[in-house]
Amino acid sequence: MAPNLLDELMQRNGATSKPFHVMTDDLNNPWRSRDDIVVHAYSSQLPYRSVVFVTSELSIASPELIFIQLAASGEYDELDLACIGYEMCGTYVTDQSWDGLTNTGVSMTTVAKIDRFAAHLKNYRGVERVRKALRLIHDNSNSPMESIMALIFAGARRIGGLHLGRIALNHPVETNDGTKYIDLYFLDYQLGLEYKGRKAHSVEATQRDDRRQNRIAGAGIATINVWYEDLVEDHLFNKLVQDIVNTMGKRLRIRSKQFASDQQLLRAKLLPTIKTYGSLTIQEPESK
């Protein structure tokens, strides 16, 4: 395709920002001279389903390939990739809407799909970084705050996570009033965490949440509320962690002298996202 036709094609198919990223097997293609185009050249065969066909003129990279390309770029560290992975494997996208967030109801991909795709590109640049980041990611997050809770409370201790146990996000629970979903559920402890936002919740929203938690408690599962303030204020965060481990009936044993600073650094890195999305009322999964 002639370079001057690319703008029209991309705009016609909904691309609204530049630079455009173009994938090609032609190492000498004419687009390399343009500042508004980033060329990704491939000299080897890509795995099946590496691209998604949009029209007869346009194909786009699959979510799995995009994730590997992001890792290969070197622009994102392990935590950045994990946050991107939570979004791709979750049911939300951050965007330019008034609240910066749209709930999609379906995920772009899953951790298992990315892992299988990466297995076909063993020697490709970025694959090892992908596999390391995947160990931090869980499917089915419905908001950035659920992703942040997963990273803080279940993330690996090498990044400052508490690694309190195996989790599932938006875990379904059968109650007398139908299926309800728990934001973050510790699979081995029958304990759930529910993100509530700021303390200044509306009375109506608080009553609705309380009724929902009562029904979940009736199914034999304890839940602990996590407020915005619990994540940004150190003394409240420490109390929250103690409440969680007490409810689990376990002691928190961390022998690394470096962990305290790693944990603070993790929360500091996540703080801009917490401040952006921590006060939003998120559209929950159906029947939640």
Side-chain angles (χ1 to χ4, degrees):
M1 176 185 292
N4 60 343
L5 297 178
L6 182 63
D7 283 349
E8 180 183 344
L9 174 64
M10 298 298 280
Q11 291 172 11
R12 192 164 65 243
N13 286 278
T16 59
S17 62
K18 291 185 178 181
F20 299 138
H21 288 254
V22 177
M23 188 165 57
T24 179
D25 59 0
D26 180 4
L27 301 182
N28 298 309
N29 72 81
W31 291 329
R32 282 188 176 276
S33 62
R34 289 183 52 168
D35 293 334
D36 59 345
I37 296 177
V38 177
V39 175
H40 301 268
Y42 290 86
S43 58
S44 59
Q45 185 76 22
L46 288 171
Y48 177 59
R49 293 185 175 177
S50 293
V51 297
V52 178
F53 294 96
V54 179
T55 70
S56 59
E57 297 178 295
L58 178 67
S59 298
I60 61 175
S62 68
E64 296 79 20
L65 179 57
I66 289 173
F67 193 71
I68 290 176
Q69 289 174 327
L70 292 173
S73 73
E75 297 178 13
Y76 304 94
D77 64 18
E78 184 180 5
L79 184 59
D80 292 330
L81 289 172
C83 291
I84 293 169
Y86 269 105
E87 186 171 340
M88 296 179 76
C89 298
T91 54
Y92 68 93
V93 291
T94 53
D95 54 26
Q96 301 301 314
S97 60
W98 69 271
D99 59 356
L101 178 70
T102 298
N103 289 102
T104 62
V106 293
S107 64
M108 301 181 207
T109 185
T110 66
V111 172
K113 286 181 180 179
I114 297 174
D115 189 48
R116 285 197 300 268
F117 189 87
H120 294 287
L121 294 171
K122 293 179 181 178
N123 299 320
Y124 185 76
R125 184 162 52 97
V127 168
E128 285 305 312
R129 299 185 70 217
V130 164
R131 294 221 159 139
K132 195 173 181 182
L134 286 179
R135 291 196 285 270
L136 301 175
I137 303 168
H138 295 81
D139 293 332
N140 298 324
S141 177
N142 194 49
S143 73
M145 295 309 299
E146 292 176 4
S147 302
I148 283 172
M149 287 201 303
L151 286 166
I152 290 175
F153 298 111
R157 289 183 180 170
R158 70 173 184 276
I159 67 162
L162 290 164
H163 197 58
L164 295 178
R166 299 185 307 129
I167 66 166
L169 296 176
N170 288 288
H171 180 71
V173 176
E174 296 302 324
T175 74
N176 292 333
D177 196 29
T179 304
K180 306 301 174 185
Y181 296 86
I182 300 174
D183 290 348
L184 185 154
Y185 181 65
F186 289 100
L187 294 165
D188 299 318
Y189 296 98
Q190 288 193 300
L191 171 64
L193 302 184
E194 290 285 309
Y195 183 72
K196 296 297 184 182
R198 288 186 182 270
K199 291 277 187 177
H201 236 30
S202 72
V203 173
E204 180 183 356
T206 300
Q207 290 176 342
R208 183 176 62 247
D209 288 346
D210 287 346
R211 287 194 295 270
R212 180 170 151 272
Q213 284 188 253
N214 288 342
R215 289 190 286 268
I216 291 173
I221 295 173
T223 57
I224 293 177
N225 293 335
V226 178
W227 299 90
Y228 171 90
E229 293 81 0
D230 294 329
L231 299 178
V232 299
E233 298 181 21
D234 288 345
H235 71 288
L236 293 177
F237 177 77
N238 292 334
K239 288 181 180 178
L240 172 63
V241 172
Q242 195 59 55
D243 286 343
I244 293 171
V245 296
N246 286 346
T247 304
M248 288 178 165
K250 63 188 289 184
R251 293 181 61 187
L252 187 60
R253 293 184 175 90
I254 299 176
R255 295 181 174 86
S256 171
K257 295 180 180 179
Q258 180 67 26
F259 178 77
S261 59
D262 288 343
Q263 210 284 316
Q264 287 189 325
L265 180 60
L266 172 64
R267 287 170 56 219
K269 287 181 177 179
L270 295 173
L271 187 60
T273 303
I274 295 172
K275 288 184 174 180
T276 299
Y277 298 103
S279 301
L280 295 180
T281 300
I282 302 300
Q283 179 65 44
E284 302 290 5
E286 188 174 354
S287 298
K288 188 167 181 180

